[in-house]
Amino acid sequence: MGKKTAVMDIPLFLTVIVLVCIGIVMVYSASAVISQEKFSSSYHFLIKQSIWAMAGILLMLVFSQVDYNHFQKFSRPAVIVTVILLFIVLFRPTMLGARRWIKIGPIGFQPSEMAKLVMILFIADVLDRKQSKIKEFKACILPILIVTMVLSALIYIEPDLGGTVILVLMFMIMLFIGGARVQHLVSIVLVSLPLLYLAILKVGYRKGRLLSFLNPQDDITGKGYQLYQSLLAFGSGGLFGKGLGASRSKLFYLPQPHTDFILPVIGEELGFFGVTIIILMFCFIIYRGARIAIDAPNLFGTMFASGIVSLVALQTIINIAVVTACMPTKGLSLPFLSFGGSSLIFTLIGMGILLNISMQVKRQR
Amino acid sequence: MNIKYRIIICLVVTVVMFAGLEVRLWNIQVVRHSPINKTAIKQFEHKIFLNPDRGKIYDRNGEQLALDINVDSVFAVPSEISSPSRTSRKLAGILGLNESSLAGKLRKRSSFAWVKRKVGPSLSMKVKKLGLEGIYLLQEKKRFYPENDLACHIIGCVGIDSQGLSGIEKNYEKFLKTASRRAVRVTDAFGRNVITTNEVIKRNKECCDVVLTIDKYIQHVAEVELKKAYINSKASRATIVVQDPATGEILALANYPGFNGNKPLKYASRFMNNPAITNVYEPGSTFKIIAAAAVLEKNMVSPKDRFYCENGLWVIGNYPIRDHEKEGWLNFNQIIMKSSNIGMAKIGEKLGRIGLYEYTRKFGFGNYTGIDLPGESCGILRKTDKWSSISLGRISFGQEIGVTAIQLVSAFSSIANKGRLMQPRIVRHVLDSDGNNAREFEPITIRRVVSHRTVNLLTKMLVGVVEEGTGVRAGVDGYRVAGKTGTAQKYDKKSGAYCSMKYTASFAGFIPAYKPRVTILVIVDEPEGVYYGGTVAAPVFSRVAQKIMEYYSIPWDEYKLATNR
């Protein structure tokens, strides 16, 4: 905290702010009709998203001023708290077919979003402390593997397959960047394949989803409906789109147009052009994040930063791949843009931490 | 390997993945845009095809006879209606519909159903005021005839989809039909209405409005007098045609009974026909001018030549020919004036089959006149080799031949027009959407039928008919009238003979006789009681002709009261 002379990464900060603002506008555009129908006011989702955005940006600024090295000592307590919260969630009533929220007053809170950030903290911490033993399975990889399995298992039970996949992939990416042996990673993948098979193909609706994405047109009224509508939205948008607010897919044709499927609405209203600009902004954030990770003052900072950036990159890529029918439907939100408080706030907290790391980068270059 | 390079590997992989997604997006959004967009529009939009706009129909002076007015059509979006029975109860009362069948329509989970098309403004206001959910109004065009049944057989009428069914509406469909319209409804996934727009799809740039040769005033006068005659004589039908002999333009054409084009569904289809051009009848004595003109033209008989009229009964072979009056010797003039069948038959014998057939054709009989109205008949004229021994005589005085009113009026007009037969016309011009003449219809001379000399001789005879012959009731104060009466027994197809109870009474003539402005034909079909053309049809001619002379401000020929009173 002492050396506050350094400046944070302003372009990164501004890009994040602009994306969040675009998100608010698009959430309103996508949700106005649905909101009018459900709540007799078109502003319901707009107001909520705006409040969360303001809270999130405030938290981002706060976290950017807290030295990230302080968090290292909280990594194990944080894991324990997260596990407890994920347990509590399992006893909450089901909402939208899953138990993901803990309600504190009027505010819903998703521990699984917190779990992603906590796992990044934990892995960064372990890799930093045991950096000499990174090649040893038992000493370094096993504890991380156990924590990852516990967290992802709890999230899987909610059920939240998307979150589970993210945790597992984060684990792989961070260990790869940390320098683990490729043989270890490959063998973990091989061992987990039967589990993956059970997790996906044993559950009826997931099997349907998995297969439907391959040919969404074949079953447009059933399992492929959402993807079919998503493609219609993108395709009818064309190069420059129908104009802001002019989406027709959002008139109840496309399910969840303001949450997971907000990008098709953007594609329909702003066209290929608009979507490309948004993708470029994500690329910019990832690029700046990667530079911060490389230039971080210590290994903990590098791992923490690369974890946060990987989280954003993974969620973005998977979400876009899903809505363009390149991957089976997962139920993953698009960072910064999708409606959803926990996701937005924890992503912005992550950005705050990243900004703090950026303030402490090595000056020698 | 350094941690920095591992991060760069991850970054590169990430960028490659984004590039792949961009390619995918390019493929969906740009490459496949148009087929996907087509599918999407099919899903989002529902098209309702509305009636096309139609041009106006004017009389020759620019008075509107047919035009489009805006009306509202009521439609329902059943999926938005929570209580079909309540909605249908409220609506059915106002719109006069069957409640249970409406409720059935509204119960179907479809996204569109017409409730009632083309309702009046007061009803549509009431529907608006109800403010029922899922009930909407859409503006449509409705054909409106401001004069109701005036000139109905000329104008014709349109069907529910604004397609021309008869008359000018049918024959000039391609000019009158100006723009196709459709409404596009944007619906949400539940079929509920989001927006409805009314757009023009196609506009016919060619033409738009049609101007008729009809004069609304003359048409009105003709219809009023025709109706009176129809009622007074308890006839089965009556027809009047008024033509300008110089141009062939039809100034008025009416049949009674007619119909009201604003309520076409109330009338049986037989009222829609236009008997003046579709109905073939035996003209009787009005047809005598044909043989008369022919013998004068050929110099075979002069007006003073005398014929013995057999005291009213002449039997050729087994067939008797009868006259109304028992006459002895009559000259040609008197034969026409008193309308002697026997005299005319004898003149016909002089003329011969070939001559009579030739002149009948020359006057336009047995041919379509080419008037621009649907359903014209060409009449019945048999070839001479099919004629029997008495056909020559009978055709000479107007039996054994079938003509249409439009043929006969044109034949009389050719006499009035100094021997030139004109094509009867009903449309003067077609206007484009800017009101300019897009098409002008010039008068068409078909042929010269007879010479000036023949015309003068024949006109004198026809003046005699009105001044002291069978047609005195056709006289008009101050004007000389040339004309011919006709009283034809109707041929009964069932018994194969002329029946003694049913007649066609007619009068055809032109006025002023020596400088004709109009030719008028009046036909009263099956009058009850007095059935003579000179009694039933001639007065109609007189009254209509007098009003037209006043309307045209034509100076009197001479200070002389007509002999018809």
Side-chain angles (χ1 to χ4, degrees), chain B residues 438-454:
Chain B
R439 252 175 205 225
E440 180 106 42
F441 296 88
E442 300 288 340
I444 297 169
T445 308
I446 295 176
R447 66 180 77 87
R448 171 164 288 281
V449 185
V450 288
S451 65
H452 287 271
R453 181 182 154 273
T454 304

Side-chain angles (χ1 to χ4, degrees), chain A residues 177 229 235 248 251 253 324, chain B residues 6 24 33 43 45 187 189:
Chain A
I177 292 173
Q229 291 299 335
R248 286 175 178 179
L251 303 173
Y253 289 101
T324 53
Chain B
R6 287 197 294 269
R24 171 75 173 156
H33 168 66
Q43 171 176 286
E45 296 183 351
T187 59

Side-chain angles (χ1 to χ4, degrees), chain A residues 171-192:
Chain A
F171 164 80
M172 307 292 292
I173 291 168
M174 287 188 72
L175 280 191
F176 170 74
I177 292 173
R181 278 176 190 273
V182 177
Q183 300 98 293
H184 287 155
L185 297 177
V186 170
S187 44
I188 290 168
V189 169
L190 287 179
V191 170
S192 59

Side-chain angles (χ1 to χ4, degrees), chain A residues 37 176-179 228-229 231-232 234-236 238-239 248 251-253 267 272 275-276 279 286 299 324, chain B residues 3-4 6-7 18 22 24-26 28-30 33 36-37 39 43-45 186-190 192:
Chain A
E37 177 85 4
F176 170 74
I177 292 173
Y228 177 72
Q229 291 299 335
L231 292 183
L232 282 191
F234 273 119
S236 62
L239 198 52
R248 286 175 178 179
L251 303 173
F252 308 102
Y253 289 101
F272 176 76
V275 174
T276 300
I279 287 179
I286 292 161
L299 183 64
T324 53
Chain B
I3 196 162
K4 179 179 165 185
R6 287 197 294 269
I7 291 175
F18 273 117
E22 274 290 290
R24 171 75 173 156
L25 281 164
W26 174 265
I28 300 171
Q29 296 202 268
V30 183
H33 168 66
I36 292 180
N37 197 34
T39 317
Q43 171 176 286
F44 300 136
E45 296 183 351
V186 176
T187 59
D188 68 13
F190 308 115
R192 296 176 299 193

